[in-house]
Amino acid sequence: MKRVFVLEDDPYNAVLFRKLLEKLGGCEVIVSEDPELLVAQARARQVDIVVLDVSLRDSRLDGRPVNGVDVCRALRRDAVTAGVPVLLATAHAMQGDEQRLLEESGADGYVSKPILQPHDFVRRALGLMEEAA
């Protein structure tokens, strides 16, 4: 079973991501607001893909405040976690944000919240896992 780590600070989005990925994607889903837990799970090779909120409120990594772009960069800098696919998710989408955020973070994909096409979201996540395999 594919394992998805959802790093999300909004409880409603967290529930939505979990339900969609479990029910439509047949995935095992871990949801947390803790980037330290994400990195530990990724380093232990317990993560097949990360769905990563861009705007994290009170998240810290290595003792400093971080957003989703920072977390993705940290994953990319680590040889053990560099290949884990990352799908950025943001509610603050404006024209040009997708390309800019993908370039800044090194993420593999981007989705805007709210998720209006649930099947497309799940297909996108599963597709990124397939590409990485």
Side-chain angles (χ1 to χ4, degrees):
M1 181 178 288
K2 296 293 186 182
R3 292 168 306 231
V4 181
F5 195 108
V6 176
L7 188 66
E8 172 65 63
D9 61 1
D10 180 282
Y12 298 107
N13 285 322
V15 168
L16 177 64
F17 287 141
R18 177 190 297 279
K19 295 288 187 193
L20 292 176
L21 292 162
E22 287 177 347
K23 303 283 185 196
L24 299 178
C27 298
E28 177 185 334
V29 181
I30 300 164
V31 177
S32 177
E33 295 180 43
D34 183 1
E36 300 279 355
L37 179 60
L38 164 60
V39 171
Q41 291 281 311
R43 288 195 55 73
R45 302 188 190 280
Q46 298 296 311
V47 176
D48 294 305
I49 189 170
V50 175
V51 177
L52 182 54
D53 182 16
V54 171
S55 302
L56 300 169
R57 283 187 289 267
D58 296 317
S59 296
R60 300 181 84 69
L61 185 62
D62 298 327
R64 63 182 180 84
V66 292
N67 62 29
V69 171
D70 300 324
V71 173
C72 189
R73 285 180 184 156
L75 291 170
R76 294 298 183 245
R77 282 192 304 267
D78 185 322
V80 175
T81 62
V84 175
V86 175
L87 183 58
L88 293 178
T90 184
H92 307 290
M94 297 185 68
Q95 188 170 7
D97 281 354
E98 179 176 0
Q99 190 62 34
R100 179 183 59 78
L101 288 169
L102 289 172
E103 287 173 8
E104 286 179 12
S105 67
D108 301 284
Y110 173 97
V111 294
S112 335
K113 298 185 280 186
I115 302 297
L116 300 176
Q117 302 294 325
H119 290 280
D120 290 344
F121 164 71
V122 172
R123 270 194 295 276
R124 186 116 186 242
L126 294 174
L128 288 174
M129 285 187 273
E130 289 290 321
E131 289 174 19

